[in-house]
């Protein structure tokens, strides 16, 4: 049987505005608004931001052009085309048999899920804390290999250049290579490749 009892005078008076209780309770509180972009709060260490293609300590690229990241991407945002390293002509970009000749990420499609990171067997692809990717041009949101490559650090020589003499591919992944050797630096200078970065440069 339905309850036909009615509320009192005050309950009937405030019934129309009862739904705004939360609004009224917070109207006069201090607003914790972040004044972006003047003030930028730091992101968490494992934040999924813009991707980065990493290098070995001597400057050779970690990407071997296997395309596993492109296969793992659920949004089909990654394009990779591998090519063979050619020691005879001095075109060695990675310690492996192949390297990523073309590498593109379409940030109009990317959902920053991190599956590409999990699929990479060489830890060549990681995600940085950079999140400012907005633009007014669709073409500028397709990042190329040159934009994604990690900057040259101290002790590195930009690829292409030979591997460290006496080292194999597995030695690179075992951490036996710590910096570019004088022979690599000399080869780069003779072949007009960028010299190692100086102290303080990124």
């Amino acid at each position: 049987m339905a309850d036909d009892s009615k509320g009192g005078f005050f309950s009937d008076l405030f019934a129309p505005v009862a739904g705004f209780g939360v609004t009224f309770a917070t109207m006069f509180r201090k607003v914790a608004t972040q004044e972006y972009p003047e003030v930028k709060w730091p992101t968490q260490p494992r934040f999924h931001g813009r991707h980065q293609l990493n290098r070995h300590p001597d400057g050779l690229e970690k990407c071997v052009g296997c395309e596993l990241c492109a296969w793992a991407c659920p949004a089909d945002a990654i394009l990779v085309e591998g090519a063979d390293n050619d020691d005879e002509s001095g075109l060695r970009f990675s310690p492996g048999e192949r390297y990523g000749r073309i590498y593109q990420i379409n940030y109009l499609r990317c959902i920053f899920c991190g599956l590409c990171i999990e699929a990479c067997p060489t830890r060549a692809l990681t995600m940085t804390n950079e999140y400012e990717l907005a633009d007014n041009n669709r073409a500028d949101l397709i990042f190329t290999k040159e934009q994604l490559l990690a900057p040259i650090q101290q002790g590195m020589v930009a690829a292409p250049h030979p591997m460290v003499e006496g080292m194999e591919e597995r030695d690179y992944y075992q951490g036996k290579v710590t910096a570019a050797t004088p022979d690599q630096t000399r080869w780069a200078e003779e072949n007009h490749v960028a010299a190692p970065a100086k102290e303080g440069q990124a």
Side-chain angles (χ1 to χ4, degrees):
M1 185 173 180
D3 185 6
D4 295 331
S5 62
K6 296 182 179 180
F9 172 75
F10 287 103
S11 63
D12 291 340
L13 179 64
F14 292 104
V17 295
F20 294 98
V22 175
T23 302
F24 289 138
T26 58
M27 280 181 62
F28 303 104
R29 293 181 182 176
K30 183 178 180 181
V31 179
T33 301
Q34 179 182 346
E35 298 297 333
Y36 179 86
E38 289 78 12
V39 178
K40 299 178 183 178
W41 290 352
T43 59
Q44 294 298 317
R46 294 180 64 84
F47 177 80
H48 283 189
R50 185 182 68 82
H51 298 73
Q52 176 175 279
L53 288 172
N54 298 308
R55 302 175 185 267
H56 287 286
D58 66 345
L60 288 178
E61 300 165 10
K62 289 188 175 182
C63 179
V64 294
C66 66
E67 303 181 27
L68 286 177
C69 53
W71 282 99
C73 180
D76 197 22
I78 303 177
L79 169 67
V80 183
E81 289 187 11
D84 294 332
N85 286 302
D86 189 357
D87 287 322
E88 293 184 0
S89 58
L91 296 178
R92 171 164 289 280
F93 292 86
S94 75
E97 181 179 344
R98 293 168 59 81
Y99 72 98
R101 185 177 66 87
I102 296 177
Y103 201 105
Q104 295 179 358
I105 297 181
N106 186 344
Y107 283 106
L108 294 169
R109 293 184 175 183
C110 179
I111 60 176
F112 298 92
C113 63
L115 290 178
C116 52
I117 308 302
E118 301 296 332
C120 183
T122 63
R123 295 293 294 164
L125 189 65
T126 53
M127 300 182 85
T128 66
N129 289 60
E130 183 180 342
Y131 56 86
E132 296 178 300
L133 296 171
D135 209 307
N136 59 1
N137 186 351
R138 297 173 66 90
D140 290 339
L141 288 172
I142 301 177
F143 280 50
T144 62
K145 176 181 175 180
E146 290 71 24
Q147 294 172 286
L148 297 170
L149 269 175
I152 297 294
Q153 302 291 338
Q154 181 186 10
M156 292 183 178
V157 176
H161 60 74
M163 295 171 58
V164 175
E165 186 175 358
M167 293 289 182
E168 300 179 354
E169 180 182 5
R170 64 181 179 182
D171 296 322
Y172 275 79
Y173 296 106
Q174 292 175 354
K176 297 181 179 179
V177 176
T178 57
T181 63
D183 290 338
Q184 289 176 307
T185 304
R186 190 179 309 109
W187 188 96
E189 292 174 349
E190 292 174 355
N191 291 272
H192 307 289
V193 180
K198 295 181 180 180
E199 183 73 33
Q201 289 184 347

